[in-house]
Amino acid sequence: MGNIKVGLTPANHSEEQEGIPLRRSSMSSRVTSAVKFLDVDGNRPENLNDTITLEPCPAASAETSSHPPHPSSSTSTTMYNHYSSSWVSHLQIPWERFPLRLSHAITRGDRAHPEDRRSMVRIVVEAMQVHCRNPKCASCEEVAKIIVNRYPQTFADFTEKGERLGCGHYSLLRSFKSRVEHVNRDNTTHRLRQTKRTRNEEDCSPNSNATSPKKVRCLVDSYGCINWQPVELPEGETPASLEEKKHILLTIFNSEGPGAVERPDVDDFMCLTYISQRQLINSCPSLSIAEIQEQWPFLFTRKGLSNHFYKLTGIDISERLGQALITKGRRIINYFSSQKLKWNLGIRTLIQQIESEGVLTNNKVGTAAILLMMKYYKEDEDSLFVLADETSTRMSLEAESNLPIAPRLIMLVFGNVYFSREKSEQK
């Protein structure tokens, strides 16, 4: 995992006023700081040891004839509604106003110089503010995505090894939003964010007054879901029949325990009663975890939770989490191992234990990555793990140990190596 070094600015750097030439004598201290910048790939600029001369930025009219990438583009001057949601589709990115060195980098597919990147951010934000004085984060992301998708080699986020990081436009999005906040820092008339109000049970009650901030679940609660709250009952089912199946599930759980989740009839009943489960989970005021577990205990088993999450989001969480632990885990281990000397004694000792194992199997990669992250953030191991002897079982641990209320991973210890056993059913 390489560090992203994008758009860095010295602490003593201030915003230059547009149109004022930069004199070499007044910029000498800034030249010293500018040559210390690293590009996105972690490399120093090629002209690190050369003498750098900062020239005044030419006016927009002079740049138009010397920047070839998009000669027909121009900044739109049409004014739109202050908070229009469609203004991004009308935005024309002023490519021709970009610095000449940046235009050449775009043409060659090179990384943008940090100074040119900052100039580009200022130019683009200025064009965005023609349409909206305070663009929202979602709008800034759309613009960043357009630029990165068009010229990924120049603007996308990459690690030192050339791997694309996430969506690739996150750092550019943050640069846009930081610039917007900077130019609007003293302008309260264009603020979009309202005063934060807390939500309590009275806000959800039918007798709440009209000024209550939230009476029901809002749209943001369902983000990422494809089946947030079904409205139609399963075919052939009624509210009474679903309630009867709920009582059958409770009876089975009380008599056979969590292991009954593997029964085919339990799986079918849990699928049919999904609408009832969502109604309880989405109820307002919200119920506690213990109250939900009391009514739907099979939801708190691995299979029950995975099946419910799949119906809710369309994602197989067991498969997705396993893949993430392997791929991201190896990247985390490689990152810590490549910079072993900079870490404290606890992290170095753990790295030595990991390296002594040789090639890690997939089930050990995730555990090793989690332990490294906990060491880095100075978290105690017992805040996540319950360490036990290799001969222990879950039933014996529940009988002998006082398990905490919060979920824990029961880990069987073989020397210095941890193996994941199972999640505690405690919530």
Side-chain angles (χ1 to χ4, degrees):
M1 292 177 60
N3 292 329
I4 308 175
K5 303 178 178 65
V6 177
L8 300 176
T9 306
N12 62 347
H13 183 74
S14 60
E15 297 291 329
E16 295 85 13
Q17 296 182 357
E18 185 176 2
I20 299 180
L22 302 178
R23 293 189 298 272
R24 192 177 308 173
S25 60
S26 64
M27 293 297 296
S28 58
S29 61
R30 296 181 189 175
V31 171
T32 304
S33 300
V35 299
K36 296 179 181 179
F37 287 145
L38 300 178
D39 61 17
V40 179
D41 296 325
N43 301 318
R44 292 185 177 274
E46 296 178 358
N47 57 348
L48 176 64
N49 299 321
D50 298 338
T51 302
I52 298 180
T53 303
L54 297 182
E55 298 295 337
C57 181
S61 59
E63 292 176 346
T64 304
S65 60
S66 60
H67 293 72
H70 298 277
S72 60
S73 301
S74 61
T75 306
S76 175
T77 58
T78 306
M79 296 301 293
Y80 292 87
N81 186 4
H82 184 71
Y83 295 120
S84 172
S85 59
S86 61
W87 64 265
V88 176
S89 61
H90 302 286
L91 175 68
Q92 295 186 11
I93 299 176
W95 307 96
E96 77 286 347
R97 293 183 54 197
F98 289 1
L100 182 60
R101 180 171 54 180
L102 180 58
S103 299
H104 291 165
I106 290 175
T107 303
R108 296 191 301 265
D110 297 337
R111 303 300 303 173
H113 190 276
E115 180 183 352
D116 299 335
R117 188 183 176 98
R118 292 193 297 274
S119 298
M120 180 270 291
V121 169
R122 289 194 289 267
I123 293 171
V124 173
V125 169
E126 181 182 349
M128 293 165 61
Q129 289 189 308
V130 172
H131 304 278
C132 179
R133 290 299 303 171
N134 191 0
K136 296 181 180 180
C137 186
S139 301
C140 294
E141 183 175 14
E142 290 185 50
V143 178
K145 189 182 301 183
I146 292 173
I147 295 176
V148 169
N149 287 344
R150 189 157 189 172
Y151 300 110
Q153 296 301 321
T154 304
F155 298 108
D157 301 332
F158 291 98
T159 65
E160 296 178 356
K161 295 183 179 180
E163 299 176 351
R164 184 159 176 163
L165 287 173
C167 59
H169 59 262
Y170 180 78
S171 63
L172 189 58
L173 160 64
R174 299 312 309 164
S175 298
F176 284 153
K177 194 56 183 172
S178 297
R179 175 62 182 173
V180 169
E181 293 174 353
H182 173 73
V183 297
N184 287 330
R185 63 191 184 280
D186 296 325
N187 191 346
T188 59
T189 60
H190 297 300
R191 288 181 180 174
L192 303 179
R193 185 172 297 176
Q194 303 298 322
T195 303
K196 185 177 181 180
R197 293 179 291 182
T198 58
R199 172 180 169 273
N200 51 40
E201 294 185 0
E202 287 73 20
D203 299 331
C204 302
S205 62
N207 298 325
S208 300
N209 56 42
T211 61
S212 297
K214 187 174 182 180
K215 294 184 179 181
V216 295
R217 297 281 185 177
C218 62
L219 182 61
V220 70
D221 295 328
S222 63
Y223 282 176
C225 301
I226 61 174
N227 197 11
W228 168 254
Q229 182 57 71
V231 294
E232 297 183 1
L233 296 175
E235 185 177 357
E237 298 293 338
T238 63
S241 65
L242 293 179
E243 187 68 20
E244 182 181 356
K245 288 179 172 59
K246 175 182 176 181
H247 287 300
I248 294 175
L249 289 171
L250 283 171
T251 302
I252 295 175
F253 185 87
N254 292 333
S255 61
E256 301 184 28
V261 73
E262 301 296 337
R263 288 177 44 169
D265 56 340
V266 171
D267 193 30
D268 294 339
F269 283 6
M270 287 294 292
C271 182
L272 290 172
T273 56
Y274 175 80
I275 183 173
S276 301
Q277 299 166 29
R278 295 307 307 169
Q279 288 173 349
L280 183 70
I281 295 172
N282 296 338
S283 60
C284 191
S286 302
L287 299 180
S288 66
I289 296 296
E291 291 173 321
I292 298 175
Q293 184 178 13
E294 183 179 354
Q295 299 190 44
W296 296 100
F298 282 114
L299 270 180
F300 294 82
T301 62
R302 177 175 180 175
K303 182 176 180 180
L305 183 60
S306 298
N307 291 344
H308 186 93
F309 190 84
Y310 182 79
K311 289 181 68 67
L312 178 65
T313 64
I315 297 173
D316 187 343
I317 188 62
S318 299
E319 180 182 355
R320 185 71 61 89
L321 180 60
Q323 293 174 350
L325 285 174
I326 295 173
T327 57
K328 310 300 182 186
R330 292 191 184 280
R331 181 178 294 180
I332 291 173
I333 294 173
N334 292 337
Y335 172 75
F336 280 97
S337 299
S338 64
Q339 306 185 55
K340 187 187 305 183
L341 297 180
K342 68 179 291 186
W343 308 121
N344 57 39
L345 179 60
I347 296 179
R348 292 202 302 269
T349 302
L350 181 56
I351 293 175
Q352 292 175 356
Q353 294 177 1
I354 294 173
E355 291 177 344
S356 65
E357 293 297 320
V359 179
L360 295 178
T361 58
N362 289 340
N363 65 328
K364 294 183 183 179
V365 169
T367 303
I370 293 174
L371 290 172
L372 282 171
M373 295 299 293
M374 294 182 70
K375 286 288 186 182
Y376 179 79
Y377 288 108
K378 300 179 181 179
E379 295 283 349
D380 295 331
E381 290 182 358
D382 57 6
S383 64
L384 181 60
F385 301 112
V386 174
L387 304 183
D389 186 76
E390 59 183 284
T391 59
S392 301
T393 63
R394 181 178 64 85
M395 300 301 293
S396 64
L397 287 172
E398 288 182 347
E400 300 172 3
S401 305
N402 184 19
L403 294 179
I405 297 177
R408 294 293 194 278
L409 293 173
I410 298 177
M411 311 295 290
L412 301 186
V413 181
F414 295 79
N416 292 325
V417 183
Y418 300 110
F419 292 89
S420 178
R421 174 71 173 178
E422 59 187 331
K423 289 185 178 179
S424 170
E425 296 294 333
Q426 301 279 345
K427 295 292 179 182

